[in-house]
Each structure stands twice: as structure tokens, then as C-alpha cells.
Amino acid sequence: MKTLDLKESIGLLLKTSAKTWEKAAEMELSERFGLAGSKWKIIVALSLKEGITQKHIADMVFVEAPTLVPIIDRMEKEGYLTRQADPKDRRNNLIFMTQKSKKIVDPMIDCILEIRNMGLNKISKKDMEIAKKVLTQIVGNTEEFIRQKGENTDPDIWTDLQNKSQKTLVKL
Amino acid sequence: MKTLDLKESIGLLLKTSAKTWEKAAEMELSERFGLAGSKWKIIVALSLKEGITQKHIADMVFVEAPTLVPIIDRMEKEGYLTRQADPKDRRNNLIFMTQKSKKIVDPMIDCILEIRNMGLNKISKKDMEIAKKVLTQIVGNTEEFIRQKGENTDPDIWTDLQNKSQKTLVKL
DNA sequence: ATATAATCGTTAGTACACTAATCTTTATTA
DNA sequence: TAATAAAGATTAGTGTACTAACGATTATAT
């Protein structure tokens, strides 16, 4: 019976680093701003562009549209944002920030940058560039594979970001 | 109001690569072996060591013990494994593979290695080594941070693996 | 122009992961 | 030894994702 050499498992390493990173962000941002889960990401998304549709936010924070519905419901009740019907296209709900959320954008972004510095401590710029290149290539390879297998990758999100698309994405 | 430079977002990159990678593995392994989610990981775990406790498996596949209960239930019903009471310690359920699962271990591992090669296509050994070093450092930094914040990181899983602990982990 | 497609928000249903709490059994310790 | 703590499996409850399907609205196509 064959066996896997786990120290070569890039999948394990990817998962571990993504998960640990997210946990740190989660802890810090929910403690300091009371915004857990996707909430703070939604606010960051809106700080980049207000008055966008729920679908657009979903793309930016990397979840499907239905996932966002109850979250936006709650955030609206809590006074962080408002839904407004789009007069140009009545299918759309346009989402806007309230004063309450606008006030916390700056400290929140500071907080995010702190976390980023902490996570990247003791890593040289040069190595980091290489790591980013490698990860980008991995995403490219894997999306290519998924696409060939039929399953249409949703609008090739990462590549999209690289190309400075107007659809900016949010995730720490 | 401040703004985040998303192209510098290592968090986004980590999440994207981990997610895409996992999706590819998921597609391939569920299509070829009908084993979705954690199921194939459990079999890989058992191929490394049989007769281990559910807790041990949970650690290996990176989930909490309760998450595994219904999954092992189903896999037992489907004939992939069996629970056996530990005569030495009656708290433990020891998990064993059946013939059915033993038979698919080798092709499954081949499949995993294929995916790994696909994902790492066009990436040089040297760059990959650097990327791994960087990711490991990130995990280290972040776990350190989480630990300081109180929240005890569960037994420092990744470091554990590096140290060739007997607790081997499974994740592609 | 009218029929057909596609899109946004939503609901419903499912799956999965987590935490907290419970039961049983084993370890510790006073 | 008796009391207390700890550990494995489980249940219950919650949160969060996802897909599939629907209604309303807008775009496309014949």
C-alpha cells in the first residue's frame, strides 16, 4: 500500500497558512470592532466603492450571493449600512455605508495593516515576491485545470484582480 | 477615508490558492472515487496508521472531533471502515479500514500526486522551496500572535508536522 | 415586437465546521 | 482510597457556505 509524504504536501501548507491567517484577523477585528466573519470585509469593500450591488459585494468578499443576504440583513438592522433600490435597474439593491461604519473604516484598515506586518515579520521582500509569484502560478494552474474539467471557474477572480479590473476584491 | 491596496493582500492570495487547490482535489477525488469532503482524507489518514482513535483522525485531517462523528457514521454504513472498542481504554473507538477502502488507497494516492504535479506545473524547485519557507514562516508568526493573544493554538499542528511527530496530518 | 435569455435578490434545503455541554471511562491527587 | 480532573465520543445548537429554484426586471434575438 502506498503512502503520502506529508512534508511535501503543499495543499496542507496552503490550508494551514490561510486558516491561521484568517483566524488571527478574525480575532483581532472581532475583538476591536465587534465585526466578525464577513462583516468587516463588507465594510472594507464598501470603503473602496459605495453604492454597489449585493452581487458585487459578494464577488469582492469571495462568497456567493445567498450567503450574504442574512449577513447584510443583520448589518442593516445594526445600522452599519442601508439598502437602496437602484432607480436605473430595479433588480439591484445598492448598498451604502452609514456614519456608524464610515467612522470605523480608518482604524479598521490600520488594524488590518498591523496584522499584515505581524504575519510577514522576518520575511524578506525578495522571498515574499517569489512566494507571491509561486502562489499566483498555483492559482493559475489549478483554475486552468478546473476550467478544463468543465466546471466553469467563476470569472477567474484572481487573474481579474491582477488585471486591475474594476471589480476589486477584499480579504484582509 | 483610508483604503486597502488589495494587490498587496497576502491574505487574499492565501485564501484564493488554498480554496482553488482544494476545489480541484475535491472535483477529481469525488469524481473518480466518489469520496467527497473529508472522506478521502480520512482514508489517507488510515493508510498511514490504522487502528487510531477518532480524535487522532480529527487532528490528522484538521477538523474538530464532533465534525467527524456523522462522517464516520456514514463511512461505516457505506462499508469503508469499522469502529472497534479499544480493550485497553474503553473510551476509545479504534478505526480500521475495510477491504473496500484498502483497495482504493493506491489509485487514490496516485490521483493525489497527479493533482500535486498539475498544481505545481511550471514552478521551479528553487522557487517552490522559497515559497514553502515563506508560508511556514507566516504560519509561525501568526500562530505566535494567536498564542500571545490568549487563545491557545491547538497543539501547533504545522510545527508538529515539521518535527516528524507521530501525529501525521493529512490534507492533499 | 414578442419571445427567449440572463441577472439580481431572495428563499429553501443541504452540508459542514465550530463551541458548549454531557456521558463514560481513565488519571491524578490529596 | 476517595474525590477531582481529564480525555474520547457524542449530542445539541449555531453560524456559515453552498446549490437549486423562483419572481421580478432587464437584455437579447429572431
Side-chain angles (χ1 to χ4, degrees):
Chain A
M1 215 167 51
K2 298 189 180 185
T3 258
L4 269 183
D5 47 336
L6 293 173
K7 288 212 295 300
E8 291 304 314
S9 172
I10 176 67
L12 170 58
L13 182 50
L14 287 177
K15 179 112 179 189
T16 310
S17 38
K19 202 171 173 181
T20 318
W21 185 281
E22 187 128 34
K23 182 172 183 181
E26 184 70 20
M27 277 175 57
E28 203 59 8
L29 282 150
S30 72
E31 181 195 325
R32 286 171 52 178
F33 302 96
L35 293 168
S38 312
K39 287 186 184 175
W40 64 268
K41 291 172 198 162
I42 294 174
I43 294 184
V44 173
L46 288 172
S47 80
L48 287 163
K49 192 152 199 277
E50 249 193 317
I52 54 182
T53 65
Q54 295 185 193
K55 175 76 172 96
H56 194 160
I57 295 180
D59 287 340
M60 288 172 85
V61 303
F62 249 99
V63 298
E64 299 303 314
T67 306
L68 230 49
V69 174
I71 297 174
I72 290 184
D73 282 350
R74 206 152 9 110
M75 288 182 79
E76 193 174 20
K77 267 198 203 98
E78 294 169 351
Y80 286 108
L81 43 81
T82 59
R83 280 186 244 236
Q84 266 173 248
D86 183 347
K88 308 278 175 99
D89 183 341
R90 303 212 311 274
R91 289 172 299 185
N92 295 339
N93 276 343
L94 303 185
I95 311 295
F96 292 88
M97 287 196 280
T98 60
Q99 282 314 109
K100 180 172 180 179
S101 45
K102 277 180 186 166
K103 236 182 297 183
I104 59 178
V105 166
D106 281 7
M108 222 172 62
I109 288 183
D110 285 337
C111 176
I112 290 169
L113 293 177
E114 279 170 34
I115 295 171
R116 194 181 287 175
N117 284 334
M118 174 280 296
L120 267 35
N121 186 31
K122 284 185 285 185
I123 297 173
S124 78
K125 270 224 150 44
K126 199 183 289 179
D127 282 359
M128 194 58 220
E129 283 314 307
I130 294 176
K132 278 163 81 171
K133 195 183 69 182
V134 166
L135 291 181
T136 305
Q137 178 77 53
I138 288 178
V139 173
N141 289 343
T142 316
E143 281 190 336
E144 171 73 18
F145 172 81
I146 293 174
R147 210 174 302 113
Q148 281 176 4
K149 280 280 163 181
E151 210 105 345
N152 60 333
T153 327
D154 2 40
D156 206 333
I157 322 192
W158 181 252
T159 317
D160 219 44
L161 177 58
Q162 301 306 83
N163 298 340
K164 307 183 190 182
S165 131
Q166 75 291 9
K167 249 191 196 173
T168 1
L169 307 165
V170 178
K171 186 131 282 164
L172 215 191
Chain B
M1 214 168 51
K2 298 190 181 184
T3 255
L4 268 183
D5 48 337
L6 292 173
K7 289 212 295 300
E8 291 304 313
S9 172
I10 176 67
L12 170 59
L13 183 51
L14 287 177
K15 179 111 177 186
T16 311
S17 39
K19 203 171 172 180
T20 319
W21 185 281
E22 187 127 33
K23 183 173 182 182
E26 185 70 19
M27 278 175 56
E28 203 60 8
L29 282 149
S30 73
E31 182 195 324
R32 286 171 51 178
F33 303 96
L35 293 168
S38 311
K39 286 186 183 177
W40 64 269
K41 291 172 198 160
I42 293 174
I43 294 184
V44 173
L46 288 172
S47 79
L48 287 163
K49 193 151 198 277
E50 249 193 316
I52 55 183
T53 66
Q54 295 185 194
K55 177 76 172 95
H56 193 160
I57 294 180
D59 288 340
M60 287 172 85
V61 302
F62 249 99
V63 297
E64 299 302 315
T67 305
L68 230 49
V69 173
I71 298 173
I72 291 185
D73 283 349
R74 206 153 8 110
M75 288 183 78
E76 193 174 20
K77 267 197 202 98
E78 293 169 352
Y80 286 109
L81 44 79
T82 59
R83 278 186 244 235
Q84 266 173 246
D86 183 348
K88 307 277 173 98
D89 182 341
R90 302 210 314 271
R91 288 172 300 185
N92 295 340
N93 277 342
L94 303 185
I95 310 296
F96 291 88
M97 286 197 280
T98 60
Q99 281 314 109
K100 180 172 180 179
S101 46
K102 277 180 186 166
K103 237 183 296 183
I104 59 179
V105 166
D106 282 6
M108 222 171 64
I109 287 182
D110 285 337
C111 177
I112 291 170
L113 293 176
E114 279 169 35
I115 296 170
R116 194 181 288 175
N117 285 334
M118 174 281 297
L120 268 34
N121 187 30
K122 285 186 284 186
I123 297 172
S124 77
K125 270 225 151 46
K126 199 182 289 178
D127 282 0
M128 194 58 222
E129 283 314 307
I130 294 176
K132 279 163 80 172
K133 193 184 69 184
V134 166
L135 291 181
T136 305
Q137 178 77 52
I138 288 177
V139 174
N141 289 343
T142 316
E143 282 191 335
E144 172 73 19
F145 172 79
I146 294 174
R147 209 173 301 112
Q148 280 175 5
K149 280 281 165 180
E151 210 105 346
N152 58 334
T153 326
D154 2 39
D156 204 336
I157 321 191
W158 180 253
T159 318
D160 219 44
L161 177 58
Q162 302 305 83
N163 299 339
K164 306 184 190 182
S165 130
Q166 73 292 8
K167 247 190 197 173
T168 2
L169 307 164
V170 177
K171 186 130 282 164
L172 214 193

